[in-house]
């Protein structure tokens, strides 16, 4: 075994760290307050290659491995989880799905714009009455020969308004249940496609979450991804990889909050000494460091499984379940280490505590991860 990162991995990590500190940190508090999408920063991340890290180079992607991607996700999330979720959705849900299952034409037309950040992607599975229970969705796409007619509502869509390319999951034949589901590429501007108002969120407030409605939207047949009936499998496969990205986001939020708490403990004095010298604080930092290190190993193992052609359903679900719990625990303690300062915006940790919560909800709640894990370990 070798736990050492390659020189290339170290370079990617450093590039993401530099970008996060120099470009994301200034303005992160204001963007959170105003619920402002990090438009300029996302454009720059596209130019630097963070928007299509794992995608094939012939379509503008970086051709990198999943380990590189999670290293970048951790560093970006240490500073700004609203920006990192844009990276996560674009990379693991949209680019990966198109790169792996798209046709040559779809890759040329759509993927090459997504990998460079010229256009942003969104992944549209959830509906008002179908979140965890994705098979209960009501959106339909009726086959009309050379096109489908799409009708329905999707909600909670990350990049909902900023995106221009949407992967939409819909029923084509309800009788066939999950085998009657397909995935489609829908473009902003198609007639009958409307973006609803922005959600007012607790955390990741800089990210852009909207509901979407489709009223008789004409989607060309060539925009269907994979064979007829492949949509549910497409969504599940894509989300299995997406979870590794969200696990890395959770890890980054935890690691960022821990680093702030550690530095604060060295400068804040109480009872005549720096608070790090009080064992209650030092032990908190020890617990935070230990759980973050454990989460990092789980995230890396899941990424390594994916890169080496192993099944990563179990390791990805465990990494997300554990890292998201660590993100919650560590951010709550980071606020505590900061005392009253932890409760105000300028010290960042209160935002990180709010941001951490979403990692237990999207791309499969913690309860759903436990279903995936228990089914996997009880299968044999
Ligand atoms: C900020 C944000 C961004 C999002 N981005 C996207 C996106 O880009 N694309 C997209 O498609 N979706 C997105 N989502 C939706 C997200 O994936 C869903 O909210 C999530 O899957 C949970 O679905 P739900 O909200 O309908 O909750 P429900 O499914 O109604 O669950 C409610 C509660 O019941 C629990 N529960 C449900 N079923 C079971 C069960 N069988 N056993 C035990 N417990 C269960 C859940 O764990 C949860 O605690 C986003 C959500 C948010 C809040």
């Amino acid at each position: 075994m070798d736990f050492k990162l390659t020189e290339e991995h170290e370079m990617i990590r450093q590039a993401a760290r530099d970008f996060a500190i120099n470009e994301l940190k200034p303005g992160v508090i204001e963007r959170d307050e105003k619920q402002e999408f990090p438009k300029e920063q996302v454009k720059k991340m596209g130019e630097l290659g963070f928007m299509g890290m794992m995608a094939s180079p012939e379509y503008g992607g970086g051709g990198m491995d999943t380990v590189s991607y999670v290293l970048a996700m951790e560093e970006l999330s240490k500073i700004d989880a609203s920006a990192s979720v844009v990276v996560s959705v674009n990379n693991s849900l949209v680019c990966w799905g198109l790169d792996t299952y798209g046709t040559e034409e779809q890759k040329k037309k759509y993927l090459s714009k997504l990998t460079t950040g010229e256009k942003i992607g969104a992944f549209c599975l959830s509906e008002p009455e179908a979140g965890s229970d994705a098979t209960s969705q009501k959106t339909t796409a009726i086959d009309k020969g050379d096109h489908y007619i799409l009708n329905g509502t999707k909600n909670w869509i990350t990049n909902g308004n900023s995106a221009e390319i949407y992967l939409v999951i819909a029923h084509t034949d309800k009788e066939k249940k999950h085998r009657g589901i397909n995935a489609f590429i829908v473009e902003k501007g198609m007639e009958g496609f409307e973006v609803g108002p922005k959600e007012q969120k607790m955390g990741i407030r800089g990210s852009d979450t909207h509901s979407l409605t489709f009223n008789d939207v004409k989607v060309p047949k060539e925009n269907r991804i994979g064979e007829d009936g492949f949509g549910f499998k497409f969504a599940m496969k894509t989300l299995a990889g997406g979870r590794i990205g969200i696990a890395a986001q959770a890890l980054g939020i935890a690691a960022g909050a821990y680093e702030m708490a550690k530095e604060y403990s060295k400068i804040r004095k109480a009872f005549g000494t720096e608070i790090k010298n009080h064992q209650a604080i030092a032990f908190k930092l020890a617990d935070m460091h230990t759980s973050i290190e454990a989460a990092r190993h789980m995230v890396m193992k899941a990424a390594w499984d994916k890169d080496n052609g192993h099944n990563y359903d179990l390791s990805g679900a465990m990494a997300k379940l554990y890292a998201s719990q660590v993100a919650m625990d560590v951010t709550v303690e980071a606020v505590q280490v900061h005392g009253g300062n932890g409760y105000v915006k300028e010290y960042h940790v209160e935002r990180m505590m709010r941001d951490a919560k979403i990692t237990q909800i999207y791309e499969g709640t913690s309860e759903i991860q436990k279903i995936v894990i228990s089914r996997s370990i009880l299968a044999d």
Side-chain angles (χ1 to χ4, degrees):
M1 284 188 81
D2 186 358
F3 284 96
K4 207 167 163 285
L5 292 173
T6 64
E7 214 171 291
E8 199 188 337
H9 287 144
E10 291 287 7
M11 277 166 59
I12 291 160
R13 179 155 73 176
Q14 193 58 49
R17 185 174 294 177
D18 291 345
F19 181 81
I21 291 168
N22 298 327
E23 305 282 346
L24 294 178
K25 198 166 184 182
V28 65
I29 294 171
E30 290 74 19
R31 288 195 298 276
D32 170 73
E33 207 165 317
K34 295 181 191 155
Q35 293 220 94
E36 190 181 303
F37 184 78
K39 197 170 171 206
E40 281 309 306
Q41 292 78 0
V42 170
K43 190 167 171 276
K44 283 185 188 163
M45 286 196 283
E47 287 158 9
L48 288 170
F50 288 121
M51 296 302 279
M53 295 182 72
M54 296 172 287
S56 309
E58 58 264 47
Y59 308 107
M64 293 177 216
D65 57 10
T66 317
V67 168
S68 304
Y69 167 58
V70 298
L71 286 169
M73 275 299 295
E74 180 183 344
E75 291 307 321
L76 300 173
S77 306
K78 279 182 184 175
I79 304 288
D80 187 353
S82 292
S84 74
V85 72
V86 183
V87 172
S88 172
V89 167
N90 206 69
N91 272 278
S92 32
L93 298 187
V94 184
C95 287
W96 186 85
L98 280 175
D99 201 21
T100 310
Y101 301 111
T103 62
E104 184 62 26
E105 289 69 36
Q106 289 169 349
K107 291 182 198 183
K108 276 191 189 141
K109 188 169 175 191
Y110 299 110
L111 182 59
S112 56
K113 304 229 163 35
L114 291 159
T115 51
T116 53
E118 186 185 330
K119 291 190 175 175
I120 299 171
F123 182 84
C124 316
L125 175 66
S126 302
E127 296 186 5
E129 289 169 67
S132 305
D133 182 8
T135 51
S136 293
Q137 57 186 283
K138 295 192 164 56
T139 298
T140 55
I142 305 301
D143 193 341
K144 296 284 181 186
D146 66 343
H147 66 274
Y148 287 88
I149 293 293
L150 185 66
N151 276 291
T153 302
K154 295 287 173 184
N155 67 342
W156 307 120
I157 303 307
T158 301
N159 302 339
N161 195 32
S162 315
E164 290 181 81
I165 298 166
Y166 300 77
L167 306 189
V168 181
I169 316 295
H171 263 295
T172 44
D173 186 349
K174 281 200 173 154
E175 300 285 299
K176 290 188 185 162
K177 299 200 169 129
H178 71 276
R179 288 194 181 81
I181 290 177
N182 275 292
F184 300 94
I185 306 166
V186 177
E187 291 181 50
K188 192 182 236 166
M190 281 182 170
E191 208 180 324
F193 172 24
E194 276 178 32
V195 177
K198 192 172 190 164
E199 300 291 349
Q200 306 291 312
K201 303 197 298 289
M202 173 206 284
I204 56 162
R205 286 167 55 82
S207 83
D208 186 22
T209 316
H210 292 257
S211 61
L212 311 173
T213 53
F214 306 96
N215 283 312
D216 289 334
V217 178
K218 195 172 163 185
V219 182
K221 199 143 217 180
E222 61 265 25
N223 280 26
R224 191 186 74 206
I225 303 171
E227 306 221 316
D228 188 23
F230 181 62
F232 189 70
K233 201 168 173 197
F234 172 80
M236 294 304 113
K237 286 268 177 205
T238 307
L239 284 169
R243 279 168 194 156
I244 303 175
I246 299 303
Q249 182 189 41
L251 167 65
I253 296 170
Y258 159 74
E259 282 169 19
M260 282 182 187
K262 190 171 84 173
E263 290 315 307
Y264 188 80
S265 77
K266 293 178 189 168
I267 52 167
R268 176 69 183 173
K269 285 187 177 166
F271 297 92
T273 184
E274 289 80 15
I275 58 170
K276 73 178 170 65
N277 297 322
H278 298 299
Q279 197 180 57
I281 298 295
F283 277 16
K284 275 190 202 305
L285 294 168
D287 285 340
M288 288 158 123
H289 183 77
T290 305
S291 60
I292 288 167
E293 196 59 13
R296 188 173 287 120
H297 282 102
M298 293 183 80
V299 171
M300 283 297 169
K301 169 65 167 53
W304 181 88
D305 276 343
K306 185 159 175 281
D307 288 336
N308 287 279
H310 302 301
N311 186 308
Y312 50 91
D313 293 347
L314 177 61
S315 55
M318 290 195 301
K320 182 177 184 287
L321 175 68
Y322 186 73
S324 61
Q325 185 62 52
V326 168
M328 273 319 295
D329 295 346
V330 166
T331 53
V332 167
E333 287 295 61
V335 170
Q336 193 68 15
V337 170
H338 280 77
N341 282 335
Y343 208 67
V344 296
K345 292 193 183 299
E346 67 183 283
Y347 283 85
H348 297 276
V349 285
E350 66 82 31
R351 184 188 73 255
M352 297 171 120
M353 190 178 96
R354 288 185 283 108
D355 287 351
K357 185 61 198 167
I358 192 58
T359 63
Q360 295 186 309
I361 297 173
Y362 56 19
E363 299 199 25
T365 62
S366 293
E367 291 76 14
I368 296 302
Q369 303 311 321
K370 287 186 192 182
I371 293 176
V372 174
I373 295 164
S374 57
R375 275 190 191 146
S376 176
I377 58 177
L378 295 170
D380 48 0

